[in-house]
Amino acid sequence: MKNKIGRALISIRSDQWLDVLDELNIGAFTVNKDHKITEINYSAQALIGLRRDDVVERDCREIFTGVPCMVSCIIAPGKGERAGEPIVEVFDEDNNRYLITRMATPIFDDNNEVTGCLTILQDHSPISDLIDRVHHEERSLKHILNSIDIGIFTVNRGGLITFFNTAAERISGYNRREILGLSCSNLFDAKGAKDICLLKDSISDGKSRATQKGSIIDRDGIPVPVRAKYMALKNEKGSIVGGLATFYDQTLVHQLNQAIHDRYIFHDMIGKSPAMRRIFDMTEVVAKSEATILIEGATGTGKDLLAKVVHSASDRADKPFVKINCAALPDTLLESEIFGYSKGAFTGAVKDKPGRFMEAEGGTLFLDEIGDLPLALQAKLLRAIEDKEFYPLGSRHTQKVDVRVISATNRGLEKLVEEGLFRKDLYYRLNVLRIEIPELKERRGDLPLLIRHITRRLCAARGVTPPPIEKQAMQFLLNHDYPGNVRELENMLEHAIIVSRGDAIGPGHLPEYLFKEKKTGGTSSSAPGGQPLGNEERRKVLEALEKHEWRRKESAEALGIDRSTLWRKMKRYGFLD
């Protein structure tokens, strides 16, 4: 498979790679064996301030005196070019300073003889991370493309994937070994999806196409918003041999749009367990109705998000979504907050003030923690829902309102009714359609999906690459009970991402409370076999410490680790006071 990929890349005309790199805003030019420049793309022309006619057929050593070769010359090795880092300083005519990155890869003929080179130029600042990963010895275009932080894949005319770079792996979750040789339809929602049609059309007529709001399907079946470009690839004879796609992860843009428009779709709730699938199916049906909805679930399960999803999928999506937390305000303020008040209703009421009901006119009112609503207000809320009218505080005139009510609680309204703390008639009015969200420990099969989704979202907000998660750390994440549910998982992952500083997330990057159950007598996270996770390593550390009477130097030597590593393990397993 690897040789086939190499031949596919080599068979593509070198001048066409200039167009590919132009799509990525990367400057490039080609040079023949006589050091004559044969072609240059628009990005390179912009970088060096020269037009194509000024450089083609001229000696590269004369043209690029300001950007000298920083690697041994591929065409004529050992002829005076100095080796060093592939970054040089260039000043334009306005004396502005630029750092230019320069890399080169050879061009071969059919006999595998070097006939020239393809050189890449790019402003250093946008790809500083690229310089950290790419050494000047890199001599393959595939290596260069693998180092670019943009998803790239190529397909043959049959749509089978022939190349898949590192950024594409990160965005999609696929390992290239899993996806190479498979149909590109695996990356799209369906055979008739817009993106795959754009790629097929580009292969068919040779014209490039782009989409600002595309999507690919990751390894877990979750859509990832992307901005993509598609183009055809041609061989030396000009015949189309396949296609190329470049795509940028738009997760952060998607989040910003949600924040601006407060719109949510079903895929913003992640899960594949039977319980979550039932919720998705039910939500899709109830969203289009006008009935009141009661959402029940423990703290942190996502009741707020589900309410927003229902609103966004309803016919009221273009109208306001207004939320009020019934547990966050004192009883004396709740009535005026929900129903508003008239001028003179109390001291300080100098003018009429609309309440949340009026703010939600035509849209959705979300009453969170409805179980904390005082009994005195429950009767007024019941009339507002049933008659669609109410009296603002201090007013003698009713206000008509067209609002759909969604309520949520973590207390269990049926039990509150039995205890006389919640009106039975209001309970039945709110409980027309009921959705119960299960706790995270009851749907552990969703944990890998949630971990990947949350990690990608948190890293997109910081503009960093999602770090890998070590096996032992993943075991802790998969086996924790999460009393705080999805909210706790999100906080835990955010903690790990910050502490790891871009490195792989290990057990030491997780919050310390995970490792304190042993000292407090709680139940520790367990591995699938029922044994506490890390039990074998903990046992070895404890044996070494006891054998050497808790002397860290001798214990570390016996374990074959340094003292600082031993200290971290002692802290992790609760051996330090």
Side-chain angles (χ1 to χ4, degrees):
M1 178 64 72
K2 184 177 180 181
N3 291 335
K4 290 181 180 179
I5 298 166
R7 286 197 296 272
L9 287 170
I10 291 171
S11 66
I12 299 166
R13 294 188 330 215
S14 57
D15 62 334
Q16 194 177 10
W17 281 116
L18 301 184
D19 297 333
V20 174
L21 295 169
D22 234 345
E23 292 282 339
L24 306 176
N25 296 319
I26 296 175
F29 64 91
T30 54
V31 177
N32 63 20
K33 200 167 185 179
D34 297 324
H35 291 279
K36 300 293 184 182
I37 298 172
T38 56
E39 194 55 78
I40 183 169
N41 70 358
Y42 291 109
S43 297
Q45 294 174 50
L47 274 175
I48 65 176
L50 295 174
R51 293 179 299 176
R52 179 182 181 278
D53 294 340
D54 298 326
V55 299
V56 170
E57 295 300 326
R58 295 184 60 184
D59 193 300
C60 63
R61 294 166 293 189
E62 297 176 4
I63 295 296
F64 296 100
T65 54
V67 190
C69 281
M70 300 301 289
V71 295
S72 296
C73 183
I74 292 172
I75 301 170
K79 297 208 173 176
E81 290 82 357
R82 57 197 179 93
E85 292 297 323
I87 307 170
V88 292
E89 190 176 69
V90 177
F91 293 88
D92 62 16
E93 54 189 23
D94 296 324
N95 207 35
N96 294 317
R97 174 178 174 270
Y98 295 94
L99 292 178
I100 299 296
T101 300
R102 179 166 180 161
M103 292 175 286
T105 186
I107 298 173
F108 298 95
D109 60 15
D110 293 337
N111 298 320
N112 209 30
E113 296 290 334
V114 176
T115 60
C117 78
L118 170 66
T119 301
I120 288 175
L121 302 172
Q122 187 170 11
D123 188 348
H124 176 56
S125 54
I127 55 166
S128 58
D129 61 330
L130 173 64
I131 302 307
D132 294 334
R133 301 196 302 264
V134 178
H135 303 290
H136 64 272
E137 293 88 1
E138 296 287 352
R139 299 169 64 85
S140 167
L141 183 59
K142 287 190 295 180
H143 291 168
I144 293 173
L145 294 180
N146 267 329
S147 300
I148 294 173
D149 201 23
I150 299 167
I152 302 173
F153 70 87
T154 62
V155 298
N156 61 19
R157 286 192 65 89
L160 302 182
I161 297 173
T162 56
F163 176 77
F164 207 71
N165 78 339
T166 303
E169 290 184 310
R170 172 178 54 80
I171 296 171
S172 69
Y174 281 103
N175 184 294
R176 67 191 66 183
R177 295 174 183 172
E178 300 175 304
I179 199 73
L180 288 176
L182 298 181
S183 171
C184 63
S185 61
N186 289 275
L187 295 173
F188 301 108
D189 199 12
K191 291 184 178 180
K194 176 183 177 183
D195 297 84
I196 195 171
C197 291
L198 291 175
L199 179 58
K200 288 181 177 179
D201 290 344
S202 293
I203 295 174
S204 177
D205 60 19
K207 297 179 181 179
S208 298
R209 289 170 171 81
T211 176
Q212 296 296 319
K213 295 183 178 180
S215 68
I216 63 170
I217 305 300
D218 70 11
R219 191 175 184 274
D220 298 317
I222 305 300
V224 179
V226 296
R227 174 166 57 90
K229 294 182 179 180
Y230 305 100
M231 62 184 298
L233 294 178
K234 301 177 182 179
N235 62 14
E236 295 288 346
K237 297 179 181 180
S239 300
I240 296 176
V241 295
L244 178 140
T246 63
F247 53 96
Y248 304 75
D249 190 346
Q250 295 291 90
T251 300
L252 178 57
V253 176
H254 181 63
Q255 292 171 6
L256 291 175
N257 287 336
Q258 284 182 342
I260 293 170
H261 302 294
D262 204 17
R263 294 288 296 274
Y264 289 77
I265 58 175
F266 289 109
H267 287 300
D268 289 320
M269 294 197 71
I270 303 299
K272 63 178 181 180
S273 63
M276 292 305 294
R277 288 181 179 178
R278 284 193 296 270
I279 289 176
F280 296 156
D281 292 341
M282 185 175 183
T283 302
E284 192 167 6
V285 174
V286 303
K288 298 299 181 181
S289 73
E290 288 294 312
T292 57
I293 298 175
L294 174 62
I295 303 173
E296 291 194 336
T299 299
T301 51
K303 299 185 293 296
D304 193 324
L305 175 59
L306 181 57
K308 292 178 180 178
V309 168
V310 170
H311 172 72
S312 294
S314 73
D315 296 332
R316 298 174 178 263
D318 295 328
K319 300 297 183 179
F321 176 87
V322 178
K323 172 186 174 182
I324 184 167
N325 190 320
C326 301
L329 294 171
D331 295 356
T332 53
L333 293 180
L334 263 176
E335 183 175 2
S336 61
E337 278 294 318
I338 296 176
F339 300 106
Y341 56 80
S342 297
K343 179 181 178 180
F346 52 84
T347 303
V350 296
K351 61 179 181 179
D352 293 346
K353 180 183 180 298
R356 300 298 176 89
F357 255 104
M358 291 307 299
E359 291 176 4
E361 171 64 28
T364 302
L365 178 65
F366 177 47
L367 299 172
D368 197 12
E369 305 301 344
I370 187 70
D372 292 287
L373 190 70
L375 278 167
L377 282 182
Q378 291 179 20
K380 190 169 184 177
L381 175 62
L382 176 62
R383 182 184 176 187
I385 295 174
E386 289 188 336
D387 300 341
K388 296 189 180 297
E389 64 178 21
F390 61 90
Y391 284 96
L393 185 64
S395 175
R396 297 180 179 180
H397 305 286
T398 60
Q399 291 272 8
K400 290 286 186 180
V401 67
D402 174 24
V403 168
R404 181 188 193 178
V405 174
I406 299 177
S407 56
T409 181
N410 65 352
R411 299 183 62 185
L413 290 191
E414 192 170 1
K415 184 178 180 181
L416 293 178
V417 169
E418 294 174 357
E419 295 173 353
L421 299 176
F422 202 86
R423 291 178 63 104
K424 182 182 292 186
D425 49 3
L426 178 58
Y427 167 67
Y428 287 121
R429 191 66 188 82
L430 296 174
N431 195 29
V432 176
L433 294 169
R434 180 173 173 272
I435 302 175
E436 184 174 358
I437 305 179
E439 294 188 47
L440 195 50
K441 65 182 179 181
E442 297 173 1
R443 55 183 186 108
R444 292 187 181 275
D446 291 338
L447 275 171
L449 291 177
L450 286 165
I451 290 169
R452 173 172 167 75
H453 174 76
I454 293 171
T455 301
R456 185 172 62 213
R457 178 164 55 80
L458 292 173
C459 289
R462 289 170 172 76
V464 299
T465 301
I469 301 177
E470 294 177 2
K471 184 177 180 180
Q472 191 177 17
M474 182 61 79
Q475 288 286 346
F476 275 105
L477 291 171
L478 294 178
N479 289 283
H480 184 57
D481 280 343
Y482 295 102
N485 292 290
V486 179
R487 185 181 292 118
E488 181 184 3
L489 173 62
E490 184 168 350
N491 293 341
M492 194 181 296
L493 290 172
E494 185 172 11
H495 176 280
I497 290 169
I498 294 171
V499 174
S500 67
R501 299 180 181 180
D503 295 331
I505 295 175
H509 299 133
L510 298 176
E512 290 187 8
Y513 72 82
L514 280 176
F515 313 107
K516 290 184 177 180
E517 288 93 346
K518 180 179 182 297
K519 296 183 71 175
T520 60
T523 302
S524 62
S525 298
S526 298
Q531 294 298 319
L533 197 62
N535 184 60
E536 183 64 21
E537 183 181 59
R538 185 187 293 110
R539 181 183 60 79
K540 290 181 179 179
V541 171
L542 182 59
E543 287 179 353
L545 288 168
E546 290 177 342
K547 181 178 180 180
H548 296 90
E549 299 179 346
W550 293 81
R551 292 190 294 271
R552 297 181 191 175
K553 181 180 180 181
E554 289 85 344
S555 300
E557 291 175 351
L559 291 167
I561 58 178
D562 57 42
R563 293 179 63 184
S564 61
T565 301
L566 175 61
W567 182 87
R568 286 195 297 270
K569 293 183 182 295
M570 292 174 66
K571 185 177 181 181
R572 180 189 307 166
Y573 296 132
F575 296 150
L576 294 175
D577 295 328

